[in-house]
Amino acid sequence: MIGTRAISLEHGLTHDYLAEPSLNRAVLKAGKEIIVLADHTKFGRAATVLLAPLEQVHTIVTDGQTIG
């Protein structure tokens, strides 16, 4: 399991903490299936460091709320 700060269609999964991205990318690459669990506040935003493009994500689970 890893954390992501933001999720966007254009930028994918991104994070601000510069010390973790290489480890997080290795975890994502090693996994057979990427499932993202994130609340609505993570969507439509981008942080500074790319973790993975959305094309690598298999499933997204979120709450039903919208940003408003």
Coordinates of all heavy atoms in Angstrom, one line a residue:
M1 N 0.8 -1.2 0.0 CA 0.0 0.0 0.0 C 0.9 1.2 0.0 O 1.9 1.3 0.7 CB -0.9 0.0 1.2 CG -1.7 1.2 1.3 SD -3.1 1.4 2.5 CE -2.5 0.4 3.9
I2 N 0.5 2.2 -0.8 CA 1.2 3.5 -0.9 C 0.2 4.6 -0.8 O -1.0 4.4 -0.9 CB 2.1 3.6 -2.1 CG1 1.2 3.7 -3.4 CG2 3.1 2.5 -2.2 CD1 1.9 4.2 -4.6
G3 N 0.7 5.8 -0.5 CA -0.2 7.0 -0.5 C 0.0 7.8 -1.7 O 1.1 7.8 -2.3
T4 N -1.1 8.5 -2.1 CA -1.0 9.5 -3.2 C -1.6 10.8 -2.7 O -2.6 10.8 -2.0 CB -1.7 9.0 -4.5 OG1 -1.4 9.9 -5.5 CG2 -3.1 8.8 -4.3
R5 N -1.1 11.9 -3.1 CA -1.6 13.2 -2.7 C -2.7 13.7 -3.6 O -3.6 14.3 -3.1 CB -0.5 14.2 -2.7 CG -0.9 15.6 -2.3 CD -1.0 15.9 -0.9 NE 0.2 15.6 -0.2 CZ 0.3 15.4 1.1 NH1 -0.8 15.4 1.8 NH2 1.4 15.1 1.7
A6 N -2.6 13.3 -4.9 CA -3.6 13.9 -5.8 C -3.8 12.9 -7.0 O -2.9 12.1 -7.3 CB -3.1 15.2 -6.4
I7 N -4.9 13.0 -7.7 CA -5.3 12.2 -8.8 C -5.9 13.0 -9.9 O -6.9 13.7 -9.6 CB -6.3 11.0 -8.4 CG1 -5.7 10.2 -7.3 CG2 -6.6 10.2 -9.6 CD1 -6.7 9.3 -6.6
S8 N -5.4 13.0 -11.1 CA -6.0 13.8 -12.1 C -5.9 13.0 -13.4 O -5.0 12.1 -13.6 CB -5.3 15.1 -12.3 OG -4.1 15.0 -13.0
L9 N -6.8 13.3 -14.3 CA -6.8 12.6 -15.7 C -5.5 12.9 -16.4 O -4.9 12.1 -17.1 CB -8.0 13.0 -16.5 CG -9.4 12.5 -16.0 CD1 -10.5 13.2 -16.8 CD2 -9.5 11.0 -16.0
E10 N -5.1 14.2 -16.3 CA -3.9 14.6 -17.1 C -2.6 14.2 -16.5 O -1.7 13.8 -17.2 CB -4.0 16.1 -17.2 CG -2.8 16.7 -18.0 CD -2.9 18.2 -18.1 OE1 -4.0 18.8 -17.8 OE2 -1.9 18.8 -18.5
H11 N -2.5 14.2 -15.1 CA -1.3 14.0 -14.4 C -1.2 12.6 -13.7 O -0.1 12.3 -13.3 CB -1.0 15.1 -13.4 CG -0.9 16.5 -14.1 ND1 0.1 16.9 -14.8 CD2 -1.8 17.5 -14.1 CE1 -0.1 18.1 -15.2 NE2 -1.3 18.5 -14.8
G12 N -2.2 11.9 -13.6 CA -2.2 10.6 -13.0 C -2.1 10.7 -11.5 O -2.7 11.6 -10.9
L13 N -1.5 9.7 -10.9 CA -1.3 9.7 -9.4 C 0.0 10.5 -9.1 O 1.1 10.2 -9.6 CB -1.1 8.2 -8.9 CG -2.2 7.2 -9.3 CD1 -1.8 5.8 -8.8 CD2 -3.5 7.6 -8.8
T14 N -0.1 11.5 -8.3 CA 1.0 12.3 -7.9 C 1.1 12.5 -6.4 O 0.2 12.2 -5.7 CB 0.9 13.7 -8.6 OG1 -0.3 14.3 -8.2 CG2 1.0 13.6 -10.1
H15 N 2.3 12.9 -6.0 CA 2.6 13.1 -4.6 C 3.5 14.3 -4.4 O 4.2 14.7 -5.4 CB 3.2 11.8 -4.0 CG 3.0 11.7 -2.6 ND1 3.7 12.4 -1.6 CD2 2.2 10.9 -1.9 CE1 3.3 12.0 -0.4 NE2 2.4 11.1 -0.5
D16 N 3.6 14.9 -3.2 CA 4.5 16.0 -2.9 C 5.8 15.6 -2.2 O 6.7 16.3 -2.2 CB 3.8 17.0 -2.1 CG 2.8 17.8 -2.9 OD1 3.0 18.1 -4.0 OD2 1.7 18.2 -2.3
Y17 N 5.7 14.4 -1.5 CA 6.9 14.0 -0.7 C 7.9 13.4 -1.6 O 7.8 12.3 -2.1 CB 6.4 13.0 0.4 CG 7.4 12.6 1.4 CD1 8.1 13.6 2.1 CD2 7.7 11.3 1.6 CE1 9.0 13.3 3.0 CE2 8.6 11.0 2.6 CZ 9.3 12.0 3.3 OH 10.2 11.6 4.2
L18 N 9.0 14.1 -1.8 CA 10.1 13.7 -2.7 C 10.9 12.5 -2.3 O 11.6 11.9 -3.2 CB 11.0 14.9 -3.0 CG 10.3 16.2 -3.6 CD1 11.3 17.3 -3.7 CD2 9.6 15.8 -4.9
A19 N 10.9 12.1 -1.1 CA 11.7 11.0 -0.6 C 11.1 9.6 -1.0 O 11.9 8.7 -1.0 CB 11.9 11.1 0.9
E20 N 9.9 9.5 -1.3 CA 9.2 8.2 -1.5 C 9.0 7.8 -3.0 O 8.7 6.6 -3.2 CB 7.9 8.2 -0.8 CG 8.0 8.1 0.7 CD 6.6 8.0 1.4 OE1 5.6 7.9 0.7 OE2 6.6 8.0 2.6
P21 N 8.9 8.7 -3.9 CA 8.5 8.3 -5.3 C 9.1 7.1 -5.9 O 8.5 6.2 -6.5 CB 8.7 9.5 -6.1 CG 8.6 10.6 -5.2 CD 9.2 10.1 -3.9
S22 N 10.5 6.9 -5.8 CA 11.1 5.7 -6.4 C 10.6 4.4 -5.7 O 10.4 3.5 -6.4 CB 12.6 5.9 -6.4 OG 13.1 6.0 -5.0
L23 N 10.5 4.4 -4.4 CA 10.0 3.2 -3.7 C 8.5 3.0 -4.1 O 8.2 1.8 -4.4 CB 10.1 3.4 -2.2 CG 9.5 2.3 -1.4 CD1 10.2 1.0 -1.7 CD2 9.5 2.6 0.1
N24 N 7.7 4.0 -4.2 CA 6.3 3.9 -4.6 C 6.2 3.4 -6.0 O 5.3 2.5 -6.3 CB 5.6 5.2 -4.4 CG 5.3 5.5 -2.9 OD1 5.5 4.7 -2.0 ND2 5.0 6.8 -2.7
R25 N 7.0 3.9 -6.9 CA 6.9 3.4 -8.3 C 7.3 1.9 -8.4 O 6.7 1.2 -9.1 CB 7.9 4.2 -9.2 CG 7.3 5.6 -9.5 CD 8.2 6.3 -10.5 NE 8.0 7.7 -10.3 CZ 9.0 8.6 -10.0 NH1 10.2 8.2 -9.7 NH2 8.7 9.9 -9.9
A26 N 8.3 1.5 -7.6 CA 8.7 0.1 -7.6 C 7.6 -0.8 -7.0 O 7.3 -1.9 -7.6 CB 9.9 -0.1 -6.7
V27 N 6.9 -0.4 -6.0 CA 5.7 -1.1 -5.5 C 4.6 -1.2 -6.5 O 4.1 -2.3 -6.7 CB 5.2 -0.4 -4.2 CG1 3.9 -1.0 -3.8 CG2 6.2 -0.6 -3.1
L28 N 4.3 -0.1 -7.2 CA 3.3 -0.1 -8.3 C 3.7 -1.0 -9.4 O 2.9 -1.8 -9.9 CB 3.1 1.3 -8.8 CG 2.4 2.2 -7.8 CD1 2.4 3.7 -8.3 CD2 0.9 1.8 -7.5
K29 N 5.0 -1.0 -9.8 CA 5.4 -1.9 -10.9 C 5.4 -3.4 -10.5 O 5.1 -4.2 -11.3 CB 6.8 -1.5 -11.2 CG 7.4 -2.2 -12.5 CD 8.7 -1.7 -12.8 CE 9.2 -2.4 -14.1 NZ 10.5 -1.9 -14.5
A30 N 5.6 -3.7 -9.2 CA 5.7 -5.1 -8.8 C 4.3 -5.7 -8.7 O 4.1 -6.9 -8.8 CB 6.4 -5.2 -7.5
G31 N 3.3 -4.8 -8.4 CA 1.9 -5.3 -8.2 C 1.3 -5.9 -9.5 O 1.6 -5.4 -10.6
K32 N 0.5 -6.9 -9.4 CA -0.2 -7.4 -10.5 C -1.5 -6.6 -10.8 O -1.9 -6.6 -12.0 CB -0.7 -8.9 -10.2 CG 0.5 -9.8 -10.1 CD 0.0 -11.2 -9.9 CE 1.1 -12.2 -9.8 NZ 0.7 -13.5 -9.6
E33 N -2.0 -5.9 -9.8 CA -3.2 -5.1 -10.0 C -3.1 -3.9 -9.1 O -2.8 -4.0 -7.9 CB -4.5 -5.9 -9.6 CG -5.7 -5.3 -9.9 CD -6.9 -6.2 -9.7 OE1 -6.8 -7.3 -9.2 OE2 -8.0 -5.7 -10.0
I34 N -3.4 -2.7 -9.7 CA -3.3 -1.5 -8.9 C -4.8 -1.1 -8.6 O -5.6 -0.8 -9.5 CB -2.6 -0.4 -9.7 CG1 -1.1 -0.8 -9.9 CG2 -2.7 0.9 -8.9 CD1 -0.4 0.2 -10.8
I35 N -5.1 -1.0 -7.3 CA -6.4 -0.6 -6.9 C -6.2 0.7 -6.1 O -5.4 0.7 -5.1 CB -7.1 -1.6 -6.0 CG1 -7.3 -2.9 -6.8 CG2 -8.4 -1.1 -5.5 CD1 -7.7 -4.1 -6.0
V36 N -6.8 1.8 -6.5 CA -6.7 3.1 -5.8 C -7.9 3.3 -4.9 O -9.1 3.1 -5.3 CB -6.6 4.2 -6.8 CG1 -6.6 5.6 -6.1 CG2 -5.4 4.1 -7.6
L37 N -7.7 3.5 -3.6 CA -8.7 3.8 -2.6 C -8.5 5.3 -2.2 O -7.4 5.6 -1.6 CB -8.7 2.9 -1.4 CG -9.6 3.2 -0.3 CD1 -11.0 3.1 -0.7 CD2 -9.3 2.2 0.9
A38 N -9.4 6.2 -2.6 CA -9.2 7.6 -2.3 C -10.5 8.3 -2.1 O -11.4 8.0 -2.9 CB -8.4 8.3 -3.4
D39 N -10.6 9.2 -1.2 CA -11.8 10.0 -1.1 C -11.8 11.1 -2.1 O -10.8 11.4 -2.8 CB -11.9 10.6 0.3 CG -10.9 11.7 0.7 OD1 -10.6 12.5 -0.2 OD2 -10.5 11.7 1.8
H40 N -12.9 11.8 -2.2 CA -13.2 12.7 -3.3 C -12.2 13.9 -3.3 O -12.0 14.6 -4.3 CB -14.6 13.3 -3.2 CG -14.9 14.1 -2.0 ND1 -15.1 13.6 -0.8 CD2 -15.0 15.5 -1.9 CE1 -15.3 14.6 0.1 NE2 -15.2 15.7 -0.6
T41 N -11.6 14.2 -2.2 CA -10.7 15.4 -2.1 C -9.4 15.2 -2.9 O -8.7 16.2 -3.1 CB -10.4 15.7 -0.6 OG1 -9.6 14.6 -0.1 CG2 -11.6 16.0 0.2
K42 N -9.1 14.0 -3.3 CA -7.8 13.7 -4.0 C -8.0 14.0 -5.5 O -7.0 14.1 -6.2 CB -7.4 12.3 -3.8 CG -7.2 11.9 -2.4 CD -6.0 12.5 -1.8 CE -5.7 11.8 -0.5 NZ -5.0 12.7 0.4
F43 N -9.2 14.0 -6.0 CA -9.5 14.0 -7.5 C -9.4 15.5 -8.0 O -9.8 16.4 -7.4 CB -10.8 13.4 -7.8 CG -10.7 11.9 -7.6 CD1 -11.1 11.4 -6.3 CD2 -10.3 11.0 -8.5 CE1 -11.0 10.0 -6.1 CE2 -10.3 9.7 -8.3 CZ -10.6 9.2 -7.1
G44 N -9.0 15.6 -9.3 CA -8.9 16.8 -10.0 C -7.8 17.7 -9.5 O -7.8 18.9 -9.7
R45 N -6.8 17.1 -8.9 CA -5.7 17.9 -8.4 C -4.4 17.2 -8.9 O -4.4 16.0 -9.3 CB -5.6 17.8 -6.8 CG -6.9 18.4 -6.2 CD -6.9 18.2 -4.7 NE -5.6 18.6 -4.1 CZ -5.2 18.1 -2.9 NH1 -5.9 17.3 -2.2 NH2 -4.1 18.5 -2.4
A46 N -3.3 17.9 -8.8 CA -2.0 17.4 -9.2 C -1.0 17.9 -8.2 O -1.0 19.0 -7.8 CB -1.6 17.8 -10.6
A47 N -0.1 17.0 -7.8 CA 1.1 17.3 -7.0 C 2.3 17.3 -7.8 O 2.3 17.2 -9.0 CB 1.2 16.3 -5.8
T48 N 3.5 17.5 -7.2 CA 4.7 17.7 -8.0 C 5.4 16.5 -8.6 O 6.1 16.6 -9.6 CB 5.7 18.4 -7.1 OG1 5.9 17.7 -5.9 CG2 5.3 19.8 -6.7
V49 N 5.2 15.3 -8.0 CA 5.9 14.1 -8.4 C 5.0 13.1 -8.9 O 4.1 12.6 -8.3 CB 6.8 13.6 -7.2 CG1 7.6 12.3 -7.7 CG2 7.7 14.6 -6.7
L50 N 5.3 12.6 -10.2 CA 4.5 11.5 -10.8 C 4.8 10.2 -10.1 O 5.9 9.8 -10.0 CB 4.7 11.4 -12.3 CG 4.1 10.3 -13.0 CD1 2.6 10.4 -13.0 CD2 4.6 10.1 -14.4
L51 N 3.7 9.5 -9.7 CA 3.9 8.1 -9.2 C 3.5 7.1 -10.3 O 4.2 6.2 -10.5 CB 3.0 7.9 -8.0 CG 3.2 8.7 -6.8 CD1 2.2 8.4 -5.7 CD2 4.7 8.5 -6.3
A52 N 2.4 7.4 -11.0 CA 2.0 6.5 -12.1 C 0.9 7.2 -12.9 O 0.1 7.9 -12.4 CB 1.4 5.2 -11.5
P53 N 0.9 6.9 -14.2 CA -0.2 7.4 -15.0 C -1.5 6.6 -14.7 O -1.4 5.5 -14.3 CB 0.3 7.2 -16.5 CG 1.3 6.1 -16.4 CD 1.9 6.2 -15.0
L54 N -2.6 7.2 -15.0 CA -3.9 6.5 -14.7 C -4.1 5.3 -15.5 O -4.8 4.4 -15.1 CB -5.1 7.5 -14.9 CG -5.4 8.5 -13.8 CD1 -6.6 9.3 -14.1 CD2 -5.5 7.8 -12.4
E55 N -3.4 5.2 -16.7 CA -3.5 4.0 -17.5 C -3.0 2.7 -16.8 O -3.4 1.6 -17.1 CB -2.7 4.2 -18.8 CG -3.3 5.2 -19.7 CD -2.9 6.7 -19.3 OE1 -2.0 6.9 -18.5 OE2 -3.6 7.5 -19.9
Q56 N -2.2 2.9 -15.7 CA -1.7 1.7 -15.0 C -2.7 1.3 -13.9 O -2.6 0.2 -13.4 CB -0.4 2.1 -14.3 CG 0.8 2.2 -15.3 CD 2.1 2.4 -14.6 OE1 2.2 2.6 -13.4 NE2 3.1 2.5 -15.4
V57 N -3.7 2.1 -13.6 CA -4.7 1.8 -12.5 C -5.8 0.8 -13.1 O -6.3 1.1 -14.1 CB -5.3 3.1 -12.0 CG1 -6.4 2.7 -11.0 CG2 -4.2 3.9 -11.4
H58 N -6.0 -0.2 -12.3 CA -7.1 -1.2 -12.7 C -8.5 -0.8 -12.2 O -9.5 -1.0 -12.8 CB -6.7 -2.6 -12.3 CG -5.4 -3.1 -12.9 ND1 -4.2 -2.9 -12.4 CD2 -5.2 -3.7 -14.1 CE1 -3.3 -3.5 -13.2 NE2 -3.9 -3.9 -14.2
T59 N -8.5 -0.4 -10.9 CA -9.7 -0.1 -10.2 C -9.6 1.1 -9.3 O -8.5 1.3 -8.7 CB -10.1 -1.3 -9.3 OG1 -10.2 -2.5 -10.1 CG2 -11.5 -1.1 -8.7
I60 N -10.6 2.0 -9.3 CA -10.7 3.1 -8.4 C -11.9 3.0 -7.5 O -13.0 2.8 -8.0 CB -10.7 4.5 -9.1 CG1 -9.4 4.7 -9.9 CG2 -10.9 5.6 -8.1 CD1 -9.4 5.9 -10.8
V61 N -11.7 3.1 -6.2 CA -12.7 3.0 -5.2 C -12.7 4.3 -4.5 O -11.7 4.8 -4.0 CB -12.5 1.8 -4.2 CG1 -13.6 1.8 -3.2 CG2 -12.4 0.5 -4.9
T62 N -13.9 5.0 -4.4 CA -14.0 6.3 -3.8 C -15.3 6.5 -3.1 O -16.2 5.6 -3.3 CB -13.7 7.4 -4.8 OG1 -13.6 8.7 -4.1 CG2 -14.8 7.5 -5.8
D63 N -15.5 7.5 -2.3 CA -16.8 7.9 -1.8 C -17.6 8.5 -2.9 O -17.2 8.8 -4.0 CB -16.6 8.8 -0.6 CG -15.9 10.1 -0.9 OD1 -15.8 10.5 -2.1 OD2 -15.5 10.8 0.1
G64 N -18.9 8.7 -2.6 CA -19.8 9.2 -3.6 C -19.9 10.7 -3.7 O -20.7 11.2 -4.5
Q65 N -19.1 11.4 -2.9 CA -19.2 12.9 -2.9 C -18.4 13.5 -4.0 O -17.5 12.9 -4.6 CB -18.6 13.4 -1.6 CG -19.3 12.9 -0.4 CD -18.8 13.5 0.9 OE1 -18.2 14.6 0.9 NE2 -19.0 12.8 2.0
T66 N -18.9 14.7 -4.4 CA -18.2 15.5 -5.4 C -17.6 16.7 -4.8 O -18.0 17.2 -3.7 CB -19.2 15.9 -6.5 OG1 -20.2 16.7 -5.9 CG2 -19.8 14.7 -7.2
I67 N -16.6 17.3 -5.5 CA -16.0 18.5 -5.0 C -16.9 19.7 -5.4 O -17.2 19.8 -6.6 CB -14.6 18.6 -5.6 CG1 -13.7 17.5 -5.1 CG2 -13.9 19.9 -5.2 CD1 -12.4 17.4 -5.7
G68 N -17.1 20.6 -4.5 CA -18.1 21.5 -4.8 C -18.1 22.9 -4.8 O -18.7 23.6 -5.3

